[in-house]
Amino acid sequence: MSPARATVLRGIAASRGEAAGPVFVVREGPAEGGRAAADFDSAAQAVAMRLDAIADQATSRPEGAAILRAQAAMARDPVLAASVRERQGRGENLAAAIKSATDAYADRLLELDDAYLRQRAADVREIGRLLIAEAEGGIGSRLGGLRSPAVVVARDLSPADTLSVAGDLLLALVTEEGGLTSHTAIVARELGIPAVVGLQGAVAAAAGHAGVRVDGDAGEVTFMDSAEPRQARSMTRLIDAASAPVPVLANAGSVEAATSAAARGAAGIGLFRTEFMFMAQHGPMSEDDQAATYARVCDALPGRVVVVRTLDAGADKPLPFLPPATEANPQLGRRGVRLWLGNEELCRPQVRALLRCAATHPRMQVMLPMVGARPEMVAARALFAAEAASLGVGVPDIGMMVEVPAVAAALEAFQGVTDFVSLGTNDLTQYAVAADRGMDWPDDLGVFNPGVLRLIATVIESARRMAIGAGACGEMAGRPEGGIFLVGVGATSLSMTADSIPAVVEATSRLGGERCATAAREALQADSARGALAVLRSALAEA
Ligand code: PEP
Ligand code: MG
């Protein structure tokens, strides 16, 4: 017998656990035996219905199902349909028009600053692939030939591919594309299937070997001449967000991000950044489009709170359709609520869209960004009141971000004009320590600087006296040390990127409110960021 040849490759460890078994290589291109779609609408309809049907069957896998529903919505997107038709009008055939329309859409997403939206470019390309396959002859399931348990190796796998077969047939997943937040990784973690992604050369290596061993913790894949089916399932635990001492919500910048956060058990959306939604457009969004989008976000989290922040553009978040800032220092110029209130075409449609959504979604709340002084809140509330009267609807709760040190130091000045506050620790820190948040400063000039910690504690104490909620939605809330401090000083909610929720819930729920409070008190005594972090980290070590 010839000695076994083994090829070892390393990729990104995307889902924990180990498995070994025969290789199943997913071939590219459409499945056999399908019928070509007559036009874009029928291709889009067929793809969307198929994705919805798989989602319906995936009730025990809510996150994967939510992704499929978001992809189905993308396939039905009238803007995509219009773009494909326009290209067909210019003489492109159906498949070419779908490819160029979805590529252009994906390229626009890739230019955005928001990492989540950039990752969604892969979804758009995936939808393009499915639509083209449908247009050319029906997609079927690319895993249709998988009849016995195997390690699936592919260039890329869609959630639809993965969810279309019984889970026990999938020993492990290996893909050439994808990153930690790609959908292959998300679905694999949800299913508890070991996975390695971003492994260049995996398909070619698999083609020359019959068996494979996957180490989802180390990101290592060993291709061998043979392998017996064997699997140690992923250790991924489902974290119960309700166990945290305060509600843990998610930050989102798109309907898809909100849908995914809902599936991950977020108690709501604590910050919906509407500027990301605007940035994905070539021009301002109409009142109707905005109202529909806000409703979709709320519908993704029925019965849960959704805080929509009005447009926070300017400075580090310029809008392509507004004239570029000419100020010497845009960080201190027309930005956030100042820019918005001064621009009728931006603020009025958004106010009306928010009011229309709130009229049917009572848990939707509004939040104003970068507020610097009481008159800004007075003006914003007057605008909401006037438009509510003209629409004949009520006014939802209106709160504000605390991102400006002068506001943090004298929150009582806002008595009666804000229904709640949320600490924007990213901007609050940069203005408090005079250090641009976009640069890689040492911890001393970061959020754990003693002055910043005291400002945060002051805000929460003032809000308590004013009997209003005080949450936090800056990046600090998504760091376990930050979560411990914020809970400890009395924050009433935390909001963060959905990926950070499990670690923060775990740390704060294991320590409990009392222990967080003693750690926070001690951190407030520290004379340096390093000292404060040491205190919080030693509490974290107990957790
Ligand atoms: C903040 O400044 O902390 C914040 C949450 O707002 P953004 O990061 O969108 O500026
Ligand atoms: Mg901010």
Side-chain angles (χ1 to χ4, degrees):
M1 209 160 89
S2 62
R5 301 174 294 126
T7 304
V8 182
L9 296 178
R10 229 170 235 285
I12 300 168
S15 178
R16 303 181 62 187
E18 279 183 35
V23 181
F24 179 88
V25 181
V26 178
R27 70 178 194 84
E28 293 302 314
E32 285 153 18
R35 242 177 340 104
D39 55 21
F40 179 77
D41 286 343
S42 40
Q45 194 54 19
V47 167
M49 278 171 58
R50 188 173 299 115
L51 291 169
D52 276 340
I54 301 173
D56 287 345
Q57 285 157 20
T59 47
S60 61
R61 306 156 183 181
E63 196 164 339
I67 293 166
L68 294 179
R69 292 203 197 286
Q71 289 188 334
M74 240 180 239
R76 292 193 179 100
D77 187 343
V79 177
L80 178 62
S83 170
V84 170
R85 274 194 283 274
E86 188 201 314
R87 286 160 207 270
Q88 284 184 285
R90 284 193 245 130
E92 289 182 25
N93 70 31
L94 179 54
I98 294 170
K99 170 116 181 64
S100 58
T102 48
D103 280 353
Y105 189 177
D107 288 346
R108 283 216 310 277
L109 290 173
L110 284 174
E111 281 163 14
L112 299 176
D113 280 343
D114 181 44
Y116 182 86
L117 290 179
R118 283 200 305 276
Q119 292 266 351
R120 300 292 69 77
D123 291 335
V124 174
R125 290 197 208 280
E126 165 66 11
I127 283 298
R129 189 184 69 73
L130 294 176
L131 289 168
I132 291 168
E134 186 66 41
E136 288 182 338
I139 56 175
S141 165
R142 296 197 303 154
L143 299 188
L146 183 63
R147 304 262 190 265
S148 57
V151 174
V152 171
V153 181
R155 187 179 58 74
D156 197 14
L157 279 173
S158 69
D161 291 329
T162 312
L163 295 172
S164 66
V165 293
D168 52 6
L169 291 179
L170 302 170
L171 291 173
L173 305 177
V174 178
T175 62
E176 294 196 345
E177 297 188 353
L180 273 184
T181 62
S182 68
H183 285 142
T184 310
I186 293 172
V187 172
R189 285 196 290 271
E190 185 178 74
L191 297 177
I193 296 173
V196 175
V197 301
L199 189 86
Q200 292 302 319
V203 171
H209 296 85
V212 59
R213 188 169 58 236
V214 177
D215 180 342
D217 295 79
E220 197 172 274
V221 178
T222 309
F223 293 94
M224 303 171 293
D225 277 346
S226 68
E228 287 301 308
R230 181 178 64 74
Q231 186 177 42
R233 282 268 166 171
S234 157
M235 300 301 288
T236 307
R237 284 168 301 117
L238 276 181
I239 305 278
D240 180 10
S243 64
V246 299
V248 177
L249 304 98
N251 295 348
S254 63
V255 176
E256 291 72 27
T259 307
S260 158
R264 307 185 83 170
I269 300 294
L271 169 63
F272 186 77
R273 289 179 163 106
T274 58
E275 59 277 9
F276 288 160
M277 191 182 78
F278 276 69
M279 283 174 191
Q281 305 285 317
H282 285 308
M285 272 174 94
S286 70
E287 177 186 324
D288 284 352
D289 285 351
Q290 286 190 58
T293 303
Y294 303 143
R296 285 173 64 205
V297 172
C298 294
D299 289 341
L301 298 108
R304 292 182 243 175
V305 70
V306 172
V307 181
V308 183
R309 184 171 74 181
T310 58
L311 189 73
D312 185 21
D316 51 337
K317 290 184 277 194
L319 282 181
F321 52 89
L322 288 179
T326 50
E327 300 131 330
N329 190 345
Q331 292 283 4
L332 302 177
R334 275 163 46 83
R335 57 170 307 186
V337 73
R338 302 170 210 162
L339 175 77
W340 186 76
L341 278 173
N343 193 324
E344 284 280 312
E345 297 85 65
L346 286 181
C347 66
R348 239 174 244 285
Q350 186 164 39
V351 166
R352 292 175 66 86
L354 288 167
L355 289 167
R356 282 167 54 189
C357 176
T360 50
H361 298 86
R363 300 220 60 199
M364 194 211 86
Q365 303 177 339
V366 174
M367 181 156 71
L368 281 297
M370 202 49 65
V371 173
R374 182 180 170 98
E376 290 166 349
M377 281 306 283
V378 173
R381 292 182 83 95
L383 183 60
F384 273 94
E387 291 300 334
S390 105
L391 287 168
V393 297
V395 178
D397 277 359
I398 301 178
M400 65 183 206
M401 302 276 295
V402 178
E403 306 177 274
V404 175
V407 174
L411 193 67
E412 283 83 355
F414 291 83
Q415 182 81 51
V417 295
T418 190
D419 297 316
F420 62 91
V421 294
S422 184
L423 279 151
T425 53
N426 309 334
D427 279 312
L428 182 62
T429 304
Q430 86 161 339
Y431 292 119
V433 298
D436 188 328
R437 65 186 258 185
M439 293 175 68
D440 188 21
W441 298 105
D443 284 337
D444 301 316
L445 294 176
V447 71
F448 296 99
N449 171 290
V452 179
L453 293 183
R454 276 175 221 182
L455 274 177
I456 292 169
T458 303
V459 169
I460 293 172
E461 177 53 24
S462 303
R464 196 187 55 75
R465 281 199 299 270
M466 293 160 73
I468 58 174
C473 60
E475 295 309 303
M476 178 192 204
R479 290 177 64 175
E481 303 94 329
I484 292 170
F485 179 81
L486 289 161
V487 168
V489 290
T492 53
S493 65
L494 303 178
S495 190
M496 60 199 68
T497 58
D499 275 353
S500 303
I501 290 177
V504 173
V505 167
E506 186 166 25
T508 55
S509 57
R510 287 214 177 154
L511 286 181
E514 283 300 309
R515 178 68 186 93
C516 290
T518 51
R521 271 198 298 275
E522 227 185 296
L524 280 167
Q525 301 305 315
D527 59 7
S528 67
R530 192 177 304 183
L533 273 166
V535 168
L536 296 165
R537 283 186 183 145
S538 95
L540 183 59
E542 290 168 33

